[in-house]
Amino acid sequence: MEMVSEGGIEDDSGVTLKDREFELLLPIGALISSANNKASELGGGFRVDQTGLELIWPTEVADDIGLSPSASKMVRAGSDTYRLLFKPVAPPAKPSYWAALFGKEPPSLVMEYAADDRHLINHTHEAWLVWPWHFDTEDQRSALDTALAVHADLSEALGWFAASQRAVEGSRAELFDAITRQIATRQ
């Protein structure tokens, strides 16, 4: 039986959809950051101008992660905080992290970024999933449970923590490269 609390609709165990999303969005944020570094290595990156924030990912990066950054929107007029929409790559060119997590009907991802003096771009840690319009609460819960299980499997297989540590100490794209290799070996 579902109950409604301040955090949203809870299942029998007291876990809300927001809790499940948050559990998944933490590692996704780290992976997106690593993907941004890979994009930078390949000639892509961020651009901020009077029209907003643009994140340019080479096709290789978008295909490997399964998401493509698209339009941004300023959060508040006059602020340097932007929301960026990441849409699932369709049709997928090859197996990807996002497709492994969510299968044939993946959600989009929204992340917020702050542009300090229009030069330094930082993720604000605000992020959420945008589900296909026909997904009800149970569809979302099921998709999140599957995605969390797949992520846990991938995380264990590639040594997520060790790859994250190597990304801090060496190449910041290491986590992205490790997950890309792991996805390729699963197919």
Side-chain angles (χ1 to χ4, degrees):
M1 181 171 147
E2 294 179 338
M3 297 175 51
V4 178
S5 72
E6 286 185 29
I9 298 174
E10 296 179 357
D11 63 14
D12 292 334
S13 64
V15 178
T16 67
L17 283 174
K18 279 189 170 244
D19 293 337
R20 279 187 168 89
E21 259 192 38
F22 182 74
E23 188 177 340
L24 190 60
L25 289 171
L26 280 175
I28 286 171
L31 182 58
I32 294 288
S33 177
S34 187
N36 291 341
N37 283 292
K38 183 66 170 188
S40 181
E41 288 176 9
L42 297 172
F46 288 101
R47 184 177 73 197
V48 181
D49 59 24
Q50 64 277 8
T51 62
L53 172 71
E54 183 179 19
L55 176 54
I56 302 157
W57 276 1
T59 302
E60 172 187 335
V61 174
D63 286 348
D64 284 343
I65 204 162
L67 291 169
S68 181
S70 64
S72 70
K73 180 179 194 254
M74 191 176 286
V75 173
R76 287 175 299 285
S79 78
D80 285 334
T81 304
Y82 301 88
R83 289 188 179 139
L84 193 60
L85 177 66
F86 294 82
K87 293 181 179 180
V89 172
K94 62 184 188 177
S96 70
Y97 175 75
W98 207 248
L101 292 184
F102 293 107
K104 294 180 182 181
E105 291 193 271
S108 294
L109 172 67
V110 176
M111 296 180 74
E112 285 189 3
Y113 290 88
D116 181 24
D117 294 329
R118 300 198 181 273
H119 297 290
L120 182 61
I121 311 295
N122 291 308
H123 176 241
T124 67
H125 302 291
E126 290 292 326
W128 58 91
L129 299 174
V130 180
W131 296 97
W133 68 271
H134 58 87
F135 271 44
D136 63 15
T137 302
E138 193 52 44
D139 293 331
Q140 292 174 31
R141 181 176 289 116
S142 177
L144 283 169
D145 287 346
T146 299
L148 285 164
V150 169
H151 175 76
D153 180 52
L154 285 169
S155 180
E156 184 177 326
L158 72 88
W160 188 280
F161 181 75
S164 297
Q165 188 65 33
R166 287 190 305 274
V168 170
E169 296 169 353
S171 168
R172 297 199 184 277
E174 174 60 32
L175 183 58
F176 174 82
D177 291 336
I179 198 73
T180 298
R181 286 188 303 271
Q182 188 62 38
I183 293 291
T185 63
R186 291 185 69 160
Q187 302 307 319

PDB file of all heavy atoms in Angstrom, residues 17 102-108 129-144:
ATOM      1  N   LEU A  17       9.782   7.701  -4.262  1.00  0.00           N
ATOM      2  CA  LEU A  17      10.386   7.752  -5.596  1.00  0.00           C
ATOM      3  C   LEU A  17      11.555   8.725  -5.606  1.00  0.00           C
ATOM      4  O   LEU A  17      12.580   8.471  -6.239  1.00  0.00           O
ATOM      5  CB  LEU A  17       9.357   8.165  -6.643  1.00  0.00           C
ATOM      6  CG  LEU A  17       8.368   7.093  -7.077  1.00  0.00           C
ATOM      7  CD1 LEU A  17       7.317   7.683  -8.005  1.00  0.00           C
ATOM      8  CD2 LEU A  17       9.076   5.931  -7.739  1.00  0.00           C
ATOM      9  N   PHE A 102      17.895   1.753 -18.321  1.00  0.00           N
ATOM     10  CA  PHE A 102      16.463   1.998 -18.498  1.00  0.00           C
ATOM     11  C   PHE A 102      15.802   1.260 -19.659  1.00  0.00           C
ATOM     12  O   PHE A 102      14.588   1.367 -19.827  1.00  0.00           O
ATOM     13  CB  PHE A 102      16.214   3.497 -18.644  1.00  0.00           C
ATOM     14  CG  PHE A 102      16.519   4.260 -17.390  1.00  0.00           C
ATOM     15  CD1 PHE A 102      17.649   5.061 -17.316  1.00  0.00           C
ATOM     16  CD2 PHE A 102      15.690   4.173 -16.294  1.00  0.00           C
ATOM     17  CE1 PHE A 102      17.941   5.761 -16.158  1.00  0.00           C
ATOM     18  CE2 PHE A 102      15.967   4.863 -15.127  1.00  0.00           C
ATOM     19  CZ  PHE A 102      17.098   5.669 -15.054  1.00  0.00           C
ATOM     20  N   GLY A 103      16.533   0.581 -20.490  1.00  0.00           N
ATOM     21  CA  GLY A 103      15.906  -0.180 -21.555  1.00  0.00           C
ATOM     22  C   GLY A 103      15.336   0.686 -22.665  1.00  0.00           C
ATOM     23  O   GLY A 103      15.895   1.713 -23.021  1.00  0.00           O
ATOM     24  N   LYS A 104      14.180   0.270 -23.180  1.00  0.00           N
ATOM     25  CA  LYS A 104      13.624   0.869 -24.393  1.00  0.00           C
ATOM     26  C   LYS A 104      12.884   2.184 -24.177  1.00  0.00           C
ATOM     27  O   LYS A 104      12.659   2.915 -25.141  1.00  0.00           O
ATOM     28  CB  LYS A 104      12.685  -0.126 -25.073  1.00  0.00           C
ATOM     29  CG  LYS A 104      13.416  -1.336 -25.606  1.00  0.00           C
ATOM     30  CD  LYS A 104      12.481  -2.298 -26.279  1.00  0.00           C
ATOM     31  CE  LYS A 104      13.284  -3.497 -26.747  1.00  0.00           C
ATOM     32  NZ  LYS A 104      12.481  -4.468 -27.417  1.00  0.00           N
ATOM     33  N   GLU A 105      12.465   2.489 -22.949  1.00  0.00           N
ATOM     34  CA  GLU A 105      11.747   3.734 -22.699  1.00  0.00           C
ATOM     35  C   GLU A 105      12.426   4.523 -21.584  1.00  0.00           C
ATOM     36  O   GLU A 105      11.909   4.646 -20.483  1.00  0.00           O
ATOM     37  CB  GLU A 105      10.289   3.463 -22.340  1.00  0.00           C
ATOM     38  CG  GLU A 105       9.483   2.942 -23.498  1.00  0.00           C
ATOM     39  CD  GLU A 105       8.010   2.983 -23.189  1.00  0.00           C
ATOM     40  OE1 GLU A 105       7.506   1.988 -22.646  1.00  0.00           O
ATOM     41  OE2 GLU A 105       7.382   4.012 -23.494  1.00  0.00           O
ATOM     42  N   PRO A 106      13.597   5.062 -21.880  1.00  0.00           N
ATOM     43  CA  PRO A 106      14.359   5.762 -20.843  1.00  0.00           C
ATOM     44  C   PRO A 106      13.816   7.161 -20.578  1.00  0.00           C
ATOM     45  O   PRO A 106      13.251   7.803 -21.467  1.00  0.00           O
ATOM     46  CB  PRO A 106      15.765   5.837 -21.438  1.00  0.00           C
ATOM     47  CG  PRO A 106      15.524   5.872 -22.910  1.00  0.00           C
ATOM     48  CD  PRO A 106      14.313   5.001 -23.144  1.00  0.00           C
ATOM     49  N   PRO A 107      14.015   7.642 -19.353  1.00  0.00           N
ATOM     50  CA  PRO A 107      13.669   9.025 -19.064  1.00  0.00           C
ATOM     51  C   PRO A 107      14.744   9.962 -19.600  1.00  0.00           C
ATOM     52  O   PRO A 107      15.830   9.531 -19.976  1.00  0.00           O
ATOM     53  CB  PRO A 107      13.644   9.059 -17.531  1.00  0.00           C
ATOM     54  CG  PRO A 107      14.655   8.025 -17.135  1.00  0.00           C
ATOM     55  CD  PRO A 107      14.536   6.941 -18.181  1.00  0.00           C
ATOM     56  N   SER A 108      14.426  11.240 -19.632  1.00  0.00           N
ATOM     57  CA  SER A 108      15.432  12.273 -19.882  1.00  0.00           C
ATOM     58  C   SER A 108      16.011  12.664 -18.522  1.00  0.00           C
ATOM     59  O   SER A 108      15.483  12.285 -17.476  1.00  0.00           O
ATOM     60  CB  SER A 108      14.788  13.499 -20.540  1.00  0.00           C
ATOM     61  OG  SER A 108      14.317  13.170 -21.823  1.00  0.00           O
ATOM     62  N   LEU A 129      14.942  13.191 -13.008  1.00  0.00           N
ATOM     63  CA  LEU A 129      14.572  12.457 -14.211  1.00  0.00           C
ATOM     64  C   LEU A 129      13.234  12.961 -14.722  1.00  0.00           C
ATOM     65  O   LEU A 129      12.361  13.332 -13.933  1.00  0.00           O
ATOM     66  CB  LEU A 129      14.474  10.955 -13.913  1.00  0.00           C
ATOM     67  CG  LEU A 129      15.766  10.299 -13.430  1.00  0.00           C
ATOM     68  CD1 LEU A 129      15.507   8.847 -13.035  1.00  0.00           C
ATOM     69  CD2 LEU A 129      16.854  10.378 -14.482  1.00  0.00           C
ATOM     70  N   VAL A 130      13.069  12.987 -16.037  1.00  0.00           N
ATOM     71  CA  VAL A 130      11.811  13.359 -16.673  1.00  0.00           C
ATOM     72  C   VAL A 130      11.316  12.110 -17.393  1.00  0.00           C
ATOM     73  O   VAL A 130      11.914  11.676 -18.381  1.00  0.00           O
ATOM     74  CB  VAL A 130      11.993  14.524 -17.670  1.00  0.00           C
ATOM     75  CG1 VAL A 130      10.667  14.883 -18.325  1.00  0.00           C
ATOM     76  CG2 VAL A 130      12.607  15.732 -16.973  1.00  0.00           C
ATOM     77  N   TRP A 131      10.239  11.542 -16.872  1.00  0.00           N
ATOM     78  CA  TRP A 131       9.734  10.262 -17.352  1.00  0.00           C
ATOM     79  C   TRP A 131       8.858  10.425 -18.585  1.00  0.00           C
ATOM     80  O   TRP A 131       8.230  11.463 -18.772  1.00  0.00           O
ATOM     81  CB  TRP A 131       8.934   9.580 -16.241  1.00  0.00           C
ATOM     82  CG  TRP A 131       9.808   9.247 -15.080  1.00  0.00           C
ATOM     83  CD1 TRP A 131       9.976   9.980 -13.941  1.00  0.00           C
ATOM     84  CD2 TRP A 131      10.674   8.131 -14.951  1.00  0.00           C
ATOM     85  NE1 TRP A 131      10.886   9.380 -13.121  1.00  0.00           N
ATOM     86  CE2 TRP A 131      11.325   8.237 -13.707  1.00  0.00           C
ATOM     87  CE3 TRP A 131      10.963   7.038 -15.771  1.00  0.00           C
ATOM     88  CZ2 TRP A 131      12.256   7.301 -13.266  1.00  0.00           C
ATOM     89  CZ3 TRP A 131      11.877   6.105 -15.323  1.00  0.00           C
ATOM     90  CH2 TRP A 131      12.515   6.237 -14.085  1.00  0.00           C
ATOM     91  N   PRO A 132       8.790   9.376 -19.414  1.00  0.00           N
ATOM     92  CA  PRO A 132       7.817   9.406 -20.511  1.00  0.00           C
ATOM     93  C   PRO A 132       6.427   9.710 -19.945  1.00  0.00           C
ATOM     94  O   PRO A 132       6.095   9.271 -18.839  1.00  0.00           O
ATOM     95  CB  PRO A 132       7.893   7.987 -21.096  1.00  0.00           C
ATOM     96  CG  PRO A 132       9.287   7.526 -20.765  1.00  0.00           C
ATOM     97  CD  PRO A 132       9.577   8.130 -19.409  1.00  0.00           C
ATOM     98  N   TRP A 133       5.649  10.442 -20.680  1.00  0.00           N
ATOM     99  CA  TRP A 133       4.375  10.961 -20.182  1.00  0.00           C
ATOM    100  C   TRP A 133       3.424   9.887 -19.681  1.00  0.00           C
ATOM    101  O   TRP A 133       2.623  10.118 -18.784  1.00  0.00           O
ATOM    102  CB  TRP A 133       3.687  11.797 -21.265  1.00  0.00           C
ATOM    103  CG  TRP A 133       3.219  10.977 -22.440  1.00  0.00           C
ATOM    104  CD1 TRP A 133       3.936  10.683 -23.563  1.00  0.00           C
ATOM    105  CD2 TRP A 133       1.972  10.318 -22.592  1.00  0.00           C
ATOM    106  NE1 TRP A 133       3.213   9.889 -24.404  1.00  0.00           N
ATOM    107  CE2 TRP A 133       1.982   9.644 -23.833  1.00  0.00           C
ATOM    108  CE3 TRP A 133       0.830  10.226 -21.804  1.00  0.00           C
ATOM    109  CZ2 TRP A 133       0.917   8.895 -24.295  1.00  0.00           C
ATOM    110  CZ3 TRP A 133      -0.237   9.469 -22.280  1.00  0.00           C
ATOM    111  CH2 TRP A 133      -0.185   8.826 -23.505  1.00  0.00           C
ATOM    112  N   HIS A 134       3.525   8.684 -20.219  1.00  0.00           N
ATOM    113  CA  HIS A 134       2.569   7.642 -19.853  1.00  0.00           C
ATOM    114  C   HIS A 134       3.014   6.803 -18.656  1.00  0.00           C
ATOM    115  O   HIS A 134       2.290   5.911 -18.231  1.00  0.00           O
ATOM    116  CB  HIS A 134       2.296   6.733 -21.067  1.00  0.00           C
ATOM    117  CG  HIS A 134       3.531   6.097 -21.603  1.00  0.00           C
ATOM    118  ND1 HIS A 134       4.020   4.908 -21.128  1.00  0.00           N
ATOM    119  CD2 HIS A 134       4.392   6.500 -22.566  1.00  0.00           C
ATOM    120  CE1 HIS A 134       5.124   4.598 -21.777  1.00  0.00           C
ATOM    121  NE2 HIS A 134       5.378   5.544 -22.661  1.00  0.00           N
ATOM    122  N   PHE A 135       4.166   7.080 -18.079  1.00  0.00           N
ATOM    123  CA  PHE A 135       4.641   6.337 -16.915  1.00  0.00           C
ATOM    124  C   PHE A 135       3.876   6.782 -15.673  1.00  0.00           C
ATOM    125  O   PHE A 135       3.906   7.956 -15.296  1.00  0.00           O
ATOM    126  CB  PHE A 135       6.140   6.584 -16.683  1.00  0.00           C
ATOM    127  CG  PHE A 135       7.046   5.636 -17.410  1.00  0.00           C
ATOM    128  CD1 PHE A 135       6.823   5.300 -18.728  1.00  0.00           C
ATOM    129  CD2 PHE A 135       8.139   5.091 -16.780  1.00  0.00           C
ATOM    130  CE1 PHE A 135       7.671   4.448 -19.418  1.00  0.00           C
ATOM    131  CE2 PHE A 135       8.999   4.233 -17.447  1.00  0.00           C
ATOM    132  CZ  PHE A 135       8.757   3.906 -18.761  1.00  0.00           C
ATOM    133  N   ASP A 136       3.234   5.835 -14.999  1.00  0.00           N
ATOM    134  CA  ASP A 136       2.606   6.157 -13.726  1.00  0.00           C
ATOM    135  C   ASP A 136       3.613   5.874 -12.607  1.00  0.00           C
ATOM    136  O   ASP A 136       4.768   5.490 -12.869  1.00  0.00           O
ATOM    137  CB  ASP A 136       1.288   5.399 -13.538  1.00  0.00           C
ATOM    138  CG  ASP A 136       1.455   3.877 -13.490  1.00  0.00           C
ATOM    139  OD1 ASP A 136       2.583   3.380 -13.310  1.00  0.00           O
ATOM    140  OD2 ASP A 136       0.432   3.190 -13.634  1.00  0.00           O
ATOM    141  N   THR A 137       3.200   6.047 -11.376  1.00  0.00           N
ATOM    142  CA  THR A 137       4.094   5.867 -10.228  1.00  0.00           C
ATOM    143  C   THR A 137       4.700   4.468 -10.200  1.00  0.00           C
ATOM    144  O   THR A 137       5.891   4.305  -9.941  1.00  0.00           O
ATOM    145  CB  THR A 137       3.325   6.139  -8.916  1.00  0.00           C
ATOM    146  OG1 THR A 137       2.800   7.459  -8.975  1.00  0.00           O
ATOM    147  CG2 THR A 137       4.212   6.017  -7.709  1.00  0.00           C
ATOM    148  N   GLU A 138       3.896   3.469 -10.473  1.00  0.00           N
ATOM    149  CA  GLU A 138       4.387   2.094 -10.442  1.00  0.00           C
ATOM    150  C   GLU A 138       5.404   1.842 -11.567  1.00  0.00           C
ATOM    151  O   GLU A 138       6.411   1.157 -11.359  1.00  0.00           O
ATOM    152  CB  GLU A 138       3.233   1.095 -10.532  1.00  0.00           C
ATOM    153  CG  GLU A 138       3.646  -0.326 -10.198  1.00  0.00           C
ATOM    154  CD  GLU A 138       4.392  -0.463  -8.870  1.00  0.00           C
ATOM    155  OE1 GLU A 138       3.985   0.145  -7.869  1.00  0.00           O
ATOM    156  OE2 GLU A 138       5.416  -1.185  -8.851  1.00  0.00           O
ATOM    157  N   ASP A 139       5.170   2.391 -12.756  1.00  0.00           N
ATOM    158  CA  ASP A 139       6.134   2.267 -13.859  1.00  0.00           C
ATOM    159  C   ASP A 139       7.459   2.917 -13.485  1.00  0.00           C
ATOM    160  O   ASP A 139       8.532   2.371 -13.762  1.00  0.00           O
ATOM    161  CB  ASP A 139       5.599   2.925 -15.137  1.00  0.00           C
ATOM    162  CG  ASP A 139       4.387   2.219 -15.725  1.00  0.00           C
ATOM    163  OD1 ASP A 139       4.251   0.997 -15.543  1.00  0.00           O
ATOM    164  OD2 ASP A 139       3.576   2.914 -16.368  1.00  0.00           O
ATOM    165  N   GLN A 140       7.395   4.086 -12.862  1.00  0.00           N
ATOM    166  CA  GLN A 140       8.610   4.786 -12.443  1.00  0.00           C
ATOM    167  C   GLN A 140       9.358   3.979 -11.387  1.00  0.00           C
ATOM    168  O   GLN A 140      10.579   3.816 -11.463  1.00  0.00           O
ATOM    169  CB  GLN A 140       8.272   6.171 -11.901  1.00  0.00           C
ATOM    170  CG  GLN A 140       7.759   7.122 -12.949  1.00  0.00           C
ATOM    171  CD  GLN A 140       7.302   8.433 -12.346  1.00  0.00           C
ATOM    172  OE1 GLN A 140       7.821   8.891 -11.332  1.00  0.00           O
ATOM    173  NE2 GLN A 140       6.319   9.050 -12.981  1.00  0.00           N
ATOM    174  N   ARG A 141       8.622   3.476 -10.406  1.00  0.00           N
ATOM    175  CA  ARG A 141       9.238   2.684  -9.333  1.00  0.00           C
ATOM    176  C   ARG A 141       9.919   1.443  -9.922  1.00  0.00           C
ATOM    177  O   ARG A 141      11.058   1.130  -9.577  1.00  0.00           O
ATOM    178  CB  ARG A 141       8.200   2.280  -8.303  1.00  0.00           C
ATOM    179  CG  ARG A 141       8.800   1.477  -7.149  1.00  0.00           C
ATOM    180  CD  ARG A 141       7.794   1.148  -6.059  1.00  0.00           C
ATOM    181  NE  ARG A 141       7.480   2.363  -5.338  1.00  0.00           N
ATOM    182  CZ  ARG A 141       6.277   2.936  -5.314  1.00  0.00           C
ATOM    183  NH1 ARG A 141       5.268   2.403  -5.967  1.00  0.00           N
ATOM    184  NH2 ARG A 141       6.081   4.040  -4.627  1.00  0.00           N
ATOM    185  N   SER A 142       9.240   0.756 -10.815  1.00  0.00           N
ATOM    186  CA  SER A 142       9.798  -0.445 -11.432  1.00  0.00           C
ATOM    187  C   SER A 142      11.056  -0.112 -12.236  1.00  0.00           C
ATOM    188  O   SER A 142      12.072  -0.816 -12.147  1.00  0.00           O
ATOM    189  CB  SER A 142       8.740  -1.097 -12.335  1.00  0.00           C
ATOM    190  OG  SER A 142       9.276  -2.207 -12.991  1.00  0.00           O
ATOM    191  N   ALA A 143      10.994   0.954 -13.022  1.00  0.00           N
ATOM    192  CA  ALA A 143      12.160   1.371 -13.819  1.00  0.00           C
ATOM    193  C   ALA A 143      13.333   1.748 -12.924  1.00  0.00           C
ATOM    194  O   ALA A 143      14.484   1.399 -13.211  1.00  0.00           O
ATOM    195  CB  ALA A 143      11.789   2.531 -14.739  1.00  0.00           C
ATOM    196  N   LEU A 144      13.059   2.450 -11.826  1.00  0.00           N
ATOM    197  CA  LEU A 144      14.129   2.838 -10.901  1.00  0.00           C
ATOM    198  C   LEU A 144      14.728   1.615 -10.212  1.00  0.00           C
ATOM    199  O   LEU A 144      15.953   1.531 -10.042  1.00  0.00           O
ATOM    200  CB  LEU A 144      13.621   3.837  -9.873  1.00  0.00           C
ATOM    201  CG  LEU A 144      13.468   5.260 -10.375  1.00  0.00           C
ATOM    202  CD1 LEU A 144      12.706   6.114  -9.360  1.00  0.00           C
ATOM    203  CD2 LEU A 144      14.821   5.884 -10.675  1.00  0.00           C
TER     204      LEU A 144
END
